[in-house]
Amino acid sequence: MKHTYQVIGMSCNGCKTHVEDTLIKIPEVKKAEVRLKEGLVVLEMSEHVPLSVLGATLADSPYKIYPEGHQVEEKKLSPMPIIGKVRVYYCPMHCEGDKTYSKSGHCPVCGMDLVPEVSKENEDGAQEDKSYLDLLRKFKVATVFTLPIFAIAMSEMLPYNPLFDWMPVQYWNWVQMILSGPVVFYATWMFFQRAYASIISGMYNMFTLIGIGAGVAWLFSFFGLLFPQVFPDEFRTASRSIHMYFESATVILTLVLLGQLLEARAHRKTNSAVKELLELAPNKAIRIENGLEVEIPMDQIRVGDLLRVKPGDKIPVDGEITKGESVIDESMITGEPTPVRKMMNDQVSAGTVNGNQSFVMVAEKVGEDTLLAQIIDMVKQASRSRAPIQKLADKISSYFVPAVVGVSVVTCIVWLVLGPEPSMIYALVNAIAVLIIACPCALGLATPMSVMVGVGKGAEWGILIKEAASLEKMNQVDTLIIDKTGTVTEGKPSVEEVIDFEFDRKKLISLVASVNQQSEHPLAEAMVRYARKNKVDLLSIDEFESITGKGVKAKVDGVEVLIGNDKLMTDHQVNRTREVKETVARQQKMGKTVSYMSYDNQVVGAIVIADQIKKTSREAICALKDKGIDVIMMTGDNDLTAKAVADELALDEVIAECLPEDKMKRVSALQEEGKVVAMAGDGINDAPALAKADVGIAMGTGTDVAIESAAITLVKGDLRGIVKASMLSESVMRNIKENLFFALAYNGIGVPLAAGVLYPFFGLLLSPMIAALAMSFSSFSVITNALRLKALKVG
């Protein structure tokens, strides 16, 4: 029989495992399955177990069990908020989902350092920088002491070793041991602490392998140096000394430390996205009190306050304009490059930038309620809620480590019982040989070596990869969401065409640019740039006037010139012939912005303005569709323009007039359908969706926030880079699997040999020297195979 119960208090995979393991101990319970998201546990029982028994079983834990659907008042289990100076920490590997901690320390699952969440109250990432600098200092110490150890060990391969002229090998062994001390007991001691923690918790990871492998290599050498007489002759060098493995231990530990240093550096950049968003909000605002303007801190703004926003200032909170008007740069919300003219009763948002006019606004949403604060929160939540990607090496390690330790223990027992005298020494040495040959050097290098070379290759192709997880996911992507402006288009409004209606074309361009040179509107600037590009001289004008929402007018040599939309022409009773209207309508149906130009009360031309589609966009989208990837365009632009661009690019789906949360919700919805989603964008408004997507891809020509939120950046802002990234991902993942095969194959052959399976038949034992050689050969194969990625070609 099956029964479902509600469990209160679970928040992570560790809780899930604890509840399942505790309840399965009840004899009548045959299977326990926790559904973490729903807070439920499904129990399969041989006979009914009373709820009181289930509750008593969980009595010593923080979890409470109730019948399904039971209403219990319980504190909402959500990431801990930041209040004042309280710091919130989380695991960078997201081992326990969105679980957070109130104190710094190590993740109980993977052993990684917990990192602080960025907030306005935090000290600009000081804690994070301290962790990085601490790793950097330890890496320098490890390198300084490891290099001479490596040089001494490798010199033994020389036919006439000059070091032995100074003193015999036994003394050099002591030098190696002394030099290894700072590496093992200072620079990399935390790896052994994490390995110990993983063994105690039963959550085996890469640190388990590193700790056991490097630890046994060092301890073998240490005891071989202090007590050489207890070792059989098979384990001695020609000079009768025991072969040392100090260099193996220190080199492995130093390389792992380098990897941790690179990860810490990458994580500092990851948090820059939130820092950039936080910088959008000003620190102070100007409040109008009894007719006087008073500068106040942001936290003193209250709903209903009247605020003065001066030219060039950032708008402090969300609200409504009550006096004045201006042009507002809202690219941080819409992602569109064209500033928007705002008048009385129009809404404005925090973090957007005012133009060259002053206005008064009333505060309607402050603090965490502003749109900017919501975007920041979305980026944080999306970053933490991304499903943790388990590296192949860690998956294998969870089985590999216990298996190797088990083989070592069995080897020790068999030699103790059946081995020749001195059986204890044979048992100990062969057990150690098993661990040495199974050292995770090759297994540990399998993934990072391929990733390192793959990332380098990506850089050559103009693809900057922030995290290895994106390489693992990129070749699995089946859905791509792209922004329009700046992603498939150039992101710069430009004059596409000047249409003359039986009027001198050069004079038309000159008049258009001359009148617009005094306007601050981006479309006017595009017209002036067009004139300069065509080397057209500008004329002097008089009586210039900007008419809000309609266009501009001025006089040139006493003749009135109007440039604007239909409303401007209608207001000035400018007649437009049927031919003119049809010509303009054709352009508007293609999603273009069209301005009329009237000269002496007659329409003599039209200016077509568009954001040009990048020449490579159609080619890239076709290539992606050929790979079976569904491409969806989501943009904050109007529906007509969006559909026109989509038709030109042969896109099957387009969604217009999107806000930042719309893109993020679409990503979430697709992920719930089982899709692997990549998001490509260039604006601040794309940051939440970039963080939420399985793979975030930013245009290098876009904003810093978008780039920092994304896992992959295309330096040239070319969509063809996504095709290259997909191909690179396939090659890197295949290479990683090959490396893991090489590493495991060598260990699979070497472990039985080290255990002594050949001794009963041939009297042969695998000495630690041969074990080290096999281990080195395994590493050599992995490195050589990874370097093949350097020869990868595009296409």
Side-chain angles (χ1 to χ4, degrees), residues 108-111 194-209 212 390-391 393-403 405:
V109 178
C110 69
R194 295 172 187 179
Y196 175 77
S198 71
I199 293 171
I200 294 300
S201 65
M203 298 175 180
Y204 307 120
N205 52 47
M206 190 59 69
F207 292 111
T208 316
L209 291 171
I212 292 178
Q390 297 296 329
K391 291 186 175 67
D394 280 337
K395 292 177 183 177
I396 294 171
S397 298
S398 63
Y399 300 101
F400 182 72
V401 175
V405 173

PDB file of all heavy atoms in Angstrom, residues 108-111 194-209 212 390-391 393-403 405:
ATOM      1  N   PRO A 108      28.191  21.931   3.092  1.00  0.00           N
ATOM      2  CA  PRO A 108      28.250  20.595   3.692  1.00  0.00           C
ATOM      3  C   PRO A 108      28.212  19.463   2.668  1.00  0.00           C
ATOM      4  O   PRO A 108      28.516  18.334   2.996  1.00  0.00           O
ATOM      5  CB  PRO A 108      27.002  20.556   4.587  1.00  0.00           C
ATOM      6  CG  PRO A 108      26.070  21.538   3.971  1.00  0.00           C
ATOM      7  CD  PRO A 108      26.935  22.628   3.414  1.00  0.00           C
ATOM      8  N   VAL A 109      27.856  19.771   1.420  1.00  0.00           N
ATOM      9  CA  VAL A 109      27.773  18.742   0.388  1.00  0.00           C
ATOM     10  C   VAL A 109      29.058  18.639  -0.413  1.00  0.00           C
ATOM     11  O   VAL A 109      29.689  17.587  -0.485  1.00  0.00           O
ATOM     12  CB  VAL A 109      26.584  19.006  -0.566  1.00  0.00           C
ATOM     13  CG1 VAL A 109      26.540  17.949  -1.672  1.00  0.00           C
ATOM     14  CG2 VAL A 109      25.286  19.014   0.211  1.00  0.00           C
ATOM     15  N   CYS A 110      29.483  19.769  -1.042  1.00  0.00           N
ATOM     16  CA  CYS A 110      30.653  19.718  -1.926  1.00  0.00           C
ATOM     17  C   CYS A 110      31.920  20.250  -1.279  1.00  0.00           C
ATOM     18  O   CYS A 110      33.013  20.067  -1.823  1.00  0.00           O
ATOM     19  CB  CYS A 110      30.383  20.493  -3.218  1.00  0.00           C
ATOM     20  SG  CYS A 110      30.252  22.282  -2.980  1.00  0.00           S
ATOM     21  N   GLY A 111      31.813  20.912  -0.131  1.00  0.00           N
ATOM     22  CA  GLY A 111      33.007  21.422   0.544  1.00  0.00           C
ATOM     23  C   GLY A 111      33.485  22.769   0.045  1.00  0.00           C
ATOM     24  O   GLY A 111      34.449  23.315   0.566  1.00  0.00           O
ATOM     25  N   ARG A 194      38.075  19.086   3.633  1.00  0.00           N
ATOM     26  CA  ARG A 194      36.873  18.830   2.842  1.00  0.00           C
ATOM     27  C   ARG A 194      36.728  17.343   2.531  1.00  0.00           C
ATOM     28  O   ARG A 194      35.607  16.817   2.504  1.00  0.00           O
ATOM     29  CB  ARG A 194      36.919  19.644   1.556  1.00  0.00           C
ATOM     30  CG  ARG A 194      36.863  21.145   1.814  1.00  0.00           C
ATOM     31  CD  ARG A 194      37.094  21.946   0.556  1.00  0.00           C
ATOM     32  NE  ARG A 194      37.202  23.369   0.861  1.00  0.00           N
ATOM     33  CZ  ARG A 194      37.426  24.314  -0.039  1.00  0.00           C
ATOM     34  NH1 ARG A 194      37.557  23.985  -1.313  1.00  0.00           N
ATOM     35  NH2 ARG A 194      37.510  25.585   0.317  1.00  0.00           N
ATOM     36  N   ALA A 195      37.849  16.683   2.290  1.00  0.00           N
ATOM     37  CA  ALA A 195      37.803  15.244   2.043  1.00  0.00           C
ATOM     38  C   ALA A 195      37.280  14.518   3.278  1.00  0.00           C
ATOM     39  O   ALA A 195      36.438  13.606   3.175  1.00  0.00           O
ATOM     40  CB  ALA A 195      39.195  14.727   1.674  1.00  0.00           C
ATOM     41  N   TYR A 196      37.761  14.932   4.438  1.00  0.00           N
ATOM     42  CA  TYR A 196      37.300  14.328   5.688  1.00  0.00           C
ATOM     43  C   TYR A 196      35.803  14.567   5.872  1.00  0.00           C
ATOM     44  O   TYR A 196      35.049  13.651   6.229  1.00  0.00           O
ATOM     45  CB  TYR A 196      38.087  14.923   6.861  1.00  0.00           C
ATOM     46  CG  TYR A 196      37.619  14.450   8.220  1.00  0.00           C
ATOM     47  CD1 TYR A 196      37.953  13.179   8.693  1.00  0.00           C
ATOM     48  CD2 TYR A 196      36.842  15.284   9.023  1.00  0.00           C
ATOM     49  CE1 TYR A 196      37.512  12.751   9.940  1.00  0.00           C
ATOM     50  CE2 TYR A 196      36.402  14.857  10.272  1.00  0.00           C
ATOM     51  CZ  TYR A 196      36.739  13.586  10.726  1.00  0.00           C
ATOM     52  OH  TYR A 196      36.296  13.171  11.947  1.00  0.00           O
ATOM     53  N   ALA A 197      35.367  15.799   5.601  1.00  0.00           N
ATOM     54  CA  ALA A 197      33.943  16.129   5.758  1.00  0.00           C
ATOM     55  C   ALA A 197      33.087  15.305   4.802  1.00  0.00           C
ATOM     56  O   ALA A 197      31.995  14.850   5.164  1.00  0.00           O
ATOM     57  CB  ALA A 197      33.725  17.621   5.511  1.00  0.00           C
ATOM     58  N   SER A 198      33.577  15.083   3.580  1.00  0.00           N
ATOM     59  CA  SER A 198      32.809  14.313   2.599  1.00  0.00           C
ATOM     60  C   SER A 198      32.695  12.854   3.016  1.00  0.00           C
ATOM     61  O   SER A 198      31.667  12.205   2.791  1.00  0.00           O
ATOM     62  CB  SER A 198      33.454  14.416   1.217  1.00  0.00           C
ATOM     63  OG  SER A 198      34.673  13.692   1.167  1.00  0.00           O
ATOM     64  N   ILE A 199      33.747  12.335   3.621  1.00  0.00           N
ATOM     65  CA  ILE A 199      33.720  10.936   4.076  1.00  0.00           C
ATOM     66  C   ILE A 199      32.763  10.779   5.256  1.00  0.00           C
ATOM     67  O   ILE A 199      31.976   9.826   5.320  1.00  0.00           O
ATOM     68  CB  ILE A 199      35.141  10.472   4.467  1.00  0.00           C
ATOM     69  CG1 ILE A 199      36.031  10.427   3.213  1.00  0.00           C
ATOM     70  CG2 ILE A 199      35.101   9.091   5.122  1.00  0.00           C
ATOM     71  CD1 ILE A 199      37.497  10.201   3.505  1.00  0.00           C
ATOM     72  N   ILE A 200      32.809  11.729   6.183  1.00  0.00           N
ATOM     73  CA  ILE A 200      31.923  11.678   7.349  1.00  0.00           C
ATOM     74  C   ILE A 200      30.456  11.772   6.930  1.00  0.00           C
ATOM     75  O   ILE A 200      29.593  11.065   7.447  1.00  0.00           O
ATOM     76  CB  ILE A 200      32.266  12.817   8.341  1.00  0.00           C
ATOM     77  CG1 ILE A 200      33.678  12.599   8.937  1.00  0.00           C
ATOM     78  CG2 ILE A 200      31.225  12.892   9.442  1.00  0.00           C
ATOM     79  CD1 ILE A 200      33.838  11.308   9.702  1.00  0.00           C
ATOM     80  N   SER A 201      30.168  12.664   5.958  1.00  0.00           N
ATOM     81  CA  SER A 201      28.782  12.866   5.521  1.00  0.00           C
ATOM     82  C   SER A 201      28.320  11.816   4.525  1.00  0.00           C
ATOM     83  O   SER A 201      27.119  11.660   4.296  1.00  0.00           O
ATOM     84  CB  SER A 201      28.633  14.251   4.881  1.00  0.00           C
ATOM     85  OG  SER A 201      29.399  14.342   3.685  1.00  0.00           O
ATOM     86  N   GLY A 202      29.268  11.098   3.917  1.00  0.00           N
ATOM     87  CA  GLY A 202      28.911  10.115   2.896  1.00  0.00           C
ATOM     88  C   GLY A 202      28.628  10.733   1.547  1.00  0.00           C
ATOM     89  O   GLY A 202      28.197  10.047   0.621  1.00  0.00           O
ATOM     90  N   MET A 203      28.865  12.030   1.393  1.00  0.00           N
ATOM     91  CA  MET A 203      28.637  12.732   0.124  1.00  0.00           C
ATOM     92  C   MET A 203      29.978  12.883  -0.583  1.00  0.00           C
ATOM     93  O   MET A 203      30.635  13.913  -0.505  1.00  0.00           O
ATOM     94  CB  MET A 203      27.989  14.093   0.380  1.00  0.00           C
ATOM     95  CG  MET A 203      26.632  13.994   1.040  1.00  0.00           C
ATOM     96  SD  MET A 203      25.946  15.613   1.462  1.00  0.00           S
ATOM     97  CE  MET A 203      24.382  15.142   2.200  1.00  0.00           C
ATOM     98  N   TYR A 204      30.396  11.834  -1.282  1.00  0.00           N
ATOM     99  CA  TYR A 204      31.722  11.794  -1.890  1.00  0.00           C
ATOM    100  C   TYR A 204      31.802  12.739  -3.090  1.00  0.00           C
ATOM    101  O   TYR A 204      30.866  12.842  -3.884  1.00  0.00           O
ATOM    102  CB  TYR A 204      32.060  10.375  -2.324  1.00  0.00           C
ATOM    103  CG  TYR A 204      31.901   9.364  -1.210  1.00  0.00           C
ATOM    104  CD1 TYR A 204      31.011   8.301  -1.337  1.00  0.00           C
ATOM    105  CD2 TYR A 204      32.622   9.490  -0.033  1.00  0.00           C
ATOM    106  CE1 TYR A 204      30.847   7.381  -0.308  1.00  0.00           C
ATOM    107  CE2 TYR A 204      32.465   8.583   1.004  1.00  0.00           C
ATOM    108  CZ  TYR A 204      31.578   7.532   0.859  1.00  0.00           C
ATOM    109  OH  TYR A 204      31.416   6.635   1.875  1.00  0.00           O
ATOM    110  N   ASN A 205      32.948  13.408  -3.215  1.00  0.00           N
ATOM    111  CA  ASN A 205      33.154  14.326  -4.320  1.00  0.00           C
ATOM    112  C   ASN A 205      34.618  14.323  -4.724  1.00  0.00           C
ATOM    113  O   ASN A 205      35.393  13.474  -4.267  1.00  0.00           O
ATOM    114  CB  ASN A 205      32.688  15.740  -3.922  1.00  0.00           C
ATOM    115  CG  ASN A 205      33.308  16.199  -2.613  1.00  0.00           C
ATOM    116  OD1 ASN A 205      34.517  16.067  -2.401  1.00  0.00           O
ATOM    117  ND2 ASN A 205      32.485  16.721  -1.709  1.00  0.00           N
ATOM    118  N   MET A 206      34.986  15.277  -5.563  1.00  0.00           N
ATOM    119  CA  MET A 206      36.359  15.315  -6.046  1.00  0.00           C
ATOM    120  C   MET A 206      37.368  15.502  -4.919  1.00  0.00           C
ATOM    121  O   MET A 206      38.484  14.992  -4.973  1.00  0.00           O
ATOM    122  CB  MET A 206      36.506  16.440  -7.079  1.00  0.00           C
ATOM    123  CG  MET A 206      37.832  16.421  -7.817  1.00  0.00           C
ATOM    124  SD  MET A 206      38.092  14.875  -8.717  1.00  0.00           S
ATOM    125  CE  MET A 206      36.870  15.034  -9.992  1.00  0.00           C
ATOM    126  N   PHE A 207      36.968  16.215  -3.865  1.00  0.00           N
ATOM    127  CA  PHE A 207      37.893  16.419  -2.754  1.00  0.00           C
ATOM    128  C   PHE A 207      38.165  15.108  -2.017  1.00  0.00           C
ATOM    129  O   PHE A 207      39.226  14.942  -1.411  1.00  0.00           O
ATOM    130  CB  PHE A 207      37.344  17.472  -1.785  1.00  0.00           C
ATOM    131  CG  PHE A 207      37.305  18.849  -2.360  1.00  0.00           C
ATOM    132  CD1 PHE A 207      36.095  19.470  -2.638  1.00  0.00           C
ATOM    133  CD2 PHE A 207      38.474  19.525  -2.653  1.00  0.00           C
ATOM    134  CE1 PHE A 207      36.055  20.740  -3.184  1.00  0.00           C
ATOM    135  CE2 PHE A 207      38.448  20.799  -3.196  1.00  0.00           C
ATOM    136  CZ  PHE A 207      37.237  21.405  -3.467  1.00  0.00           C
ATOM    137  N   THR A 208      37.225  14.172  -2.067  1.00  0.00           N
ATOM    138  CA  THR A 208      37.455  12.862  -1.472  1.00  0.00           C
ATOM    139  C   THR A 208      38.613  12.170  -2.179  1.00  0.00           C
ATOM    140  O   THR A 208      39.516  11.613  -1.546  1.00  0.00           O
ATOM    141  CB  THR A 208      36.196  11.984  -1.588  1.00  0.00           C
ATOM    142  OG1 THR A 208      35.051  12.765  -1.250  1.00  0.00           O
ATOM    143  CG2 THR A 208      36.277  10.779  -0.673  1.00  0.00           C
ATOM    144  N   LEU A 209      38.569  12.197  -3.496  1.00  0.00           N
ATOM    145  CA  LEU A 209      39.627  11.566  -4.298  1.00  0.00           C
ATOM    146  C   LEU A 209      40.961  12.261  -4.088  1.00  0.00           C
ATOM    147  O   LEU A 209      42.000  11.608  -3.903  1.00  0.00           O
ATOM    148  CB  LEU A 209      39.255  11.620  -5.782  1.00  0.00           C
ATOM    149  CG  LEU A 209      38.090  10.744  -6.234  1.00  0.00           C
ATOM    150  CD1 LEU A 209      37.715  11.080  -7.664  1.00  0.00           C
ATOM    151  CD2 LEU A 209      38.450   9.279  -6.120  1.00  0.00           C
ATOM    152  N   ILE A 212      42.317  11.509  -0.476  1.00  0.00           N
ATOM    153  CA  ILE A 212      42.828  10.138  -0.294  1.00  0.00           C
ATOM    154  C   ILE A 212      44.071   9.916  -1.135  1.00  0.00           C
ATOM    155  O   ILE A 212      45.096   9.421  -0.648  1.00  0.00           O
ATOM    156  CB  ILE A 212      41.746   9.108  -0.660  1.00  0.00           C
ATOM    157  CG1 ILE A 212      40.607   9.158   0.357  1.00  0.00           C
ATOM    158  CG2 ILE A 212      42.339   7.705  -0.714  1.00  0.00           C
ATOM    159  CD1 ILE A 212      39.470   8.209   0.042  1.00  0.00           C
ATOM    160  N   GLN A 390      25.888  18.535 -12.323  1.00  0.00           N
ATOM    161  CA  GLN A 390      26.878  17.644 -11.731  1.00  0.00           C
ATOM    162  C   GLN A 390      27.900  17.255 -12.791  1.00  0.00           C
ATOM    163  O   GLN A 390      27.557  16.697 -13.820  1.00  0.00           O
ATOM    164  CB  GLN A 390      26.180  16.375 -11.214  1.00  0.00           C
ATOM    165  CG  GLN A 390      25.175  16.625 -10.118  1.00  0.00           C
ATOM    166  CD  GLN A 390      25.832  17.170  -8.871  1.00  0.00           C
ATOM    167  OE1 GLN A 390      26.964  16.861  -8.580  1.00  0.00           O
ATOM    168  NE2 GLN A 390      25.109  18.002  -8.156  1.00  0.00           N
ATOM    169  N   LYS A 391      29.131  17.556 -12.519  1.00  0.00           N
ATOM    170  CA  LYS A 391      30.188  17.199 -13.469  1.00  0.00           C
ATOM    171  C   LYS A 391      30.312  15.680 -13.556  1.00  0.00           C
ATOM    172  O   LYS A 391      30.117  14.962 -12.579  1.00  0.00           O
ATOM    173  CB  LYS A 391      31.518  17.808 -13.024  1.00  0.00           C
ATOM    174  CG  LYS A 391      31.546  19.326 -13.152  1.00  0.00           C
ATOM    175  CD  LYS A 391      32.939  19.820 -12.821  1.00  0.00           C
ATOM    176  CE  LYS A 391      33.069  21.315 -13.056  1.00  0.00           C
ATOM    177  NZ  LYS A 391      32.291  22.128 -12.163  1.00  0.00           N
ATOM    178  N   ALA A 393      32.889  13.906 -13.749  1.00  0.00           N
ATOM    179  CA  ALA A 393      33.913  13.366 -12.851  1.00  0.00           C
ATOM    180  C   ALA A 393      33.366  13.160 -11.442  1.00  0.00           C
ATOM    181  O   ALA A 393      33.682  12.174 -10.777  1.00  0.00           O
ATOM    182  CB  ALA A 393      35.119  14.303 -12.806  1.00  0.00           C
ATOM    183  N   ASP A 394      32.534  14.094 -10.977  1.00  0.00           N
ATOM    184  CA  ASP A 394      31.963  13.959  -9.639  1.00  0.00           C
ATOM    185  C   ASP A 394      30.965  12.807  -9.572  1.00  0.00           C
ATOM    186  O   ASP A 394      30.868  12.112  -8.560  1.00  0.00           O
ATOM    187  CB  ASP A 394      31.280  15.262  -9.222  1.00  0.00           C
ATOM    188  CG  ASP A 394      32.279  16.294  -8.717  1.00  0.00           C
ATOM    189  OD1 ASP A 394      33.371  15.886  -8.293  1.00  0.00           O
ATOM    190  OD2 ASP A 394      31.975  17.491  -8.772  1.00  0.00           O
ATOM    191  N   LYS A 395      30.220  12.604 -10.657  1.00  0.00           N
ATOM    192  CA  LYS A 395      29.275  11.486 -10.688  1.00  0.00           C
ATOM    193  C   LYS A 395      30.028  10.161 -10.579  1.00  0.00           C
ATOM    194  O   LYS A 395      29.639   9.266  -9.839  1.00  0.00           O
ATOM    195  CB  LYS A 395      28.469  11.526 -11.993  1.00  0.00           C
ATOM    196  CG  LYS A 395      27.521  12.707 -12.084  1.00  0.00           C
ATOM    197  CD  LYS A 395      26.820  12.727 -13.436  1.00  0.00           C
ATOM    198  CE  LYS A 395      25.924  13.960 -13.565  1.00  0.00           C
ATOM    199  NZ  LYS A 395      25.292  14.032 -14.902  1.00  0.00           N
ATOM    200  N   ILE A 396      31.115  10.059 -11.351  1.00  0.00           N
ATOM    201  CA  ILE A 396      31.903   8.824 -11.328  1.00  0.00           C
ATOM    202  C   ILE A 396      32.598   8.666  -9.972  1.00  0.00           C
ATOM    203  O   ILE A 396      32.688   7.568  -9.427  1.00  0.00           O
ATOM    204  CB  ILE A 396      32.934   8.834 -12.473  1.00  0.00           C
ATOM    205  CG1 ILE A 396      32.190   8.800 -13.811  1.00  0.00           C
ATOM    206  CG2 ILE A 396      33.892   7.650 -12.363  1.00  0.00           C
ATOM    207  CD1 ILE A 396      33.083   9.020 -15.008  1.00  0.00           C
ATOM    208  N   SER A 397      33.042   9.798  -9.424  1.00  0.00           N
ATOM    209  CA  SER A 397      33.753   9.753  -8.145  1.00  0.00           C
ATOM    210  C   SER A 397      32.897   9.174  -7.026  1.00  0.00           C
ATOM    211  O   SER A 397      33.405   8.507  -6.119  1.00  0.00           O
ATOM    212  CB  SER A 397      34.213  11.160  -7.755  1.00  0.00           C
ATOM    213  OG  SER A 397      35.116  11.672  -8.706  1.00  0.00           O
ATOM    214  N   SER A 398      31.589   9.448  -7.068  1.00  0.00           N
ATOM    215  CA  SER A 398      30.715   8.971  -6.009  1.00  0.00           C
ATOM    216  C   SER A 398      30.717   7.446  -5.920  1.00  0.00           C
ATOM    217  O   SER A 398      30.485   6.881  -4.853  1.00  0.00           O
ATOM    218  CB  SER A 398      29.290   9.478  -6.238  1.00  0.00           C
ATOM    219  OG  SER A 398      28.764   8.956  -7.436  1.00  0.00           O
ATOM    220  N   TYR A 399      30.996   6.771  -7.047  1.00  0.00           N
ATOM    221  CA  TYR A 399      31.096   5.305  -7.039  1.00  0.00           C
ATOM    222  C   TYR A 399      32.557   4.854  -7.013  1.00  0.00           C
ATOM    223  O   TYR A 399      32.894   3.833  -6.422  1.00  0.00           O
ATOM    224  CB  TYR A 399      30.419   4.727  -8.293  1.00  0.00           C
ATOM    225  CG  TYR A 399      28.953   5.068  -8.388  1.00  0.00           C
ATOM    226  CD1 TYR A 399      28.518   6.091  -9.211  1.00  0.00           C
ATOM    227  CD2 TYR A 399      27.996   4.374  -7.642  1.00  0.00           C
ATOM    228  CE1 TYR A 399      27.175   6.424  -9.308  1.00  0.00           C
ATOM    229  CE2 TYR A 399      26.651   4.690  -7.730  1.00  0.00           C
ATOM    230  CZ  TYR A 399      26.240   5.712  -8.559  1.00  0.00           C
ATOM    231  OH  TYR A 399      24.906   6.023  -8.647  1.00  0.00           O
ATOM    232  N   PHE A 400      33.408   5.623  -7.664  1.00  0.00           N
ATOM    233  CA  PHE A 400      34.802   5.227  -7.830  1.00  0.00           C
ATOM    234  C   PHE A 400      35.545   5.195  -6.498  1.00  0.00           C
ATOM    235  O   PHE A 400      36.289   4.259  -6.201  1.00  0.00           O
ATOM    236  CB  PHE A 400      35.476   6.198  -8.802  1.00  0.00           C
ATOM    237  CG  PHE A 400      36.911   5.886  -9.095  1.00  0.00           C
ATOM    238  CD1 PHE A 400      37.252   4.796  -9.875  1.00  0.00           C
ATOM    239  CD2 PHE A 400      37.936   6.685  -8.593  1.00  0.00           C
ATOM    240  CE1 PHE A 400      38.570   4.515 -10.160  1.00  0.00           C
ATOM    241  CE2 PHE A 400      39.257   6.408  -8.864  1.00  0.00           C
ATOM    242  CZ  PHE A 400      39.574   5.312  -9.655  1.00  0.00           C
ATOM    243  N   VAL A 401      35.337   6.237  -5.683  1.00  0.00           N
ATOM    244  CA  VAL A 401      36.069   6.337  -4.416  1.00  0.00           C
ATOM    245  C   VAL A 401      35.758   5.168  -3.486  1.00  0.00           C
ATOM    246  O   VAL A 401      36.670   4.483  -3.008  1.00  0.00           O
ATOM    247  CB  VAL A 401      35.784   7.680  -3.732  1.00  0.00           C
ATOM    248  CG1 VAL A 401      36.437   7.726  -2.358  1.00  0.00           C
ATOM    249  CG2 VAL A 401      36.283   8.832  -4.584  1.00  0.00           C
ATOM    250  N   PRO A 402      34.478   4.886  -3.190  1.00  0.00           N
ATOM    251  CA  PRO A 402      34.203   3.746  -2.315  1.00  0.00           C
ATOM    252  C   PRO A 402      34.711   2.422  -2.897  1.00  0.00           C
ATOM    253  O   PRO A 402      35.171   1.559  -2.143  1.00  0.00           O
ATOM    254  CB  PRO A 402      32.672   3.737  -2.210  1.00  0.00           C
ATOM    255  CG  PRO A 402      32.250   5.119  -2.555  1.00  0.00           C
ATOM    256  CD  PRO A 402      33.233   5.592  -3.558  1.00  0.00           C
ATOM    257  N   ALA A 403      34.637   2.299  -4.228  1.00  0.00           N
ATOM    258  CA  ALA A 403      35.086   1.059  -4.861  1.00  0.00           C
ATOM    259  C   ALA A 403      36.584   0.853  -4.665  1.00  0.00           C
ATOM    260  O   ALA A 403      37.040  -0.250  -4.313  1.00  0.00           O
ATOM    261  CB  ALA A 403      34.748   1.068  -6.347  1.00  0.00           C
ATOM    262  N   VAL A 405      38.543   2.259  -2.371  1.00  0.00           N
ATOM    263  CA  VAL A 405      38.831   2.035  -0.944  1.00  0.00           C
ATOM    264  C   VAL A 405      38.478   0.599  -0.566  1.00  0.00           C
ATOM    265  O   VAL A 405      39.217  -0.073   0.175  1.00  0.00           O
ATOM    266  CB  VAL A 405      38.055   3.029  -0.069  1.00  0.00           C
ATOM    267  CG1 VAL A 405      38.208   2.686   1.404  1.00  0.00           C
ATOM    268  CG2 VAL A 405      38.535   4.457  -0.333  1.00  0.00           C
TER     269      VAL A 405
END
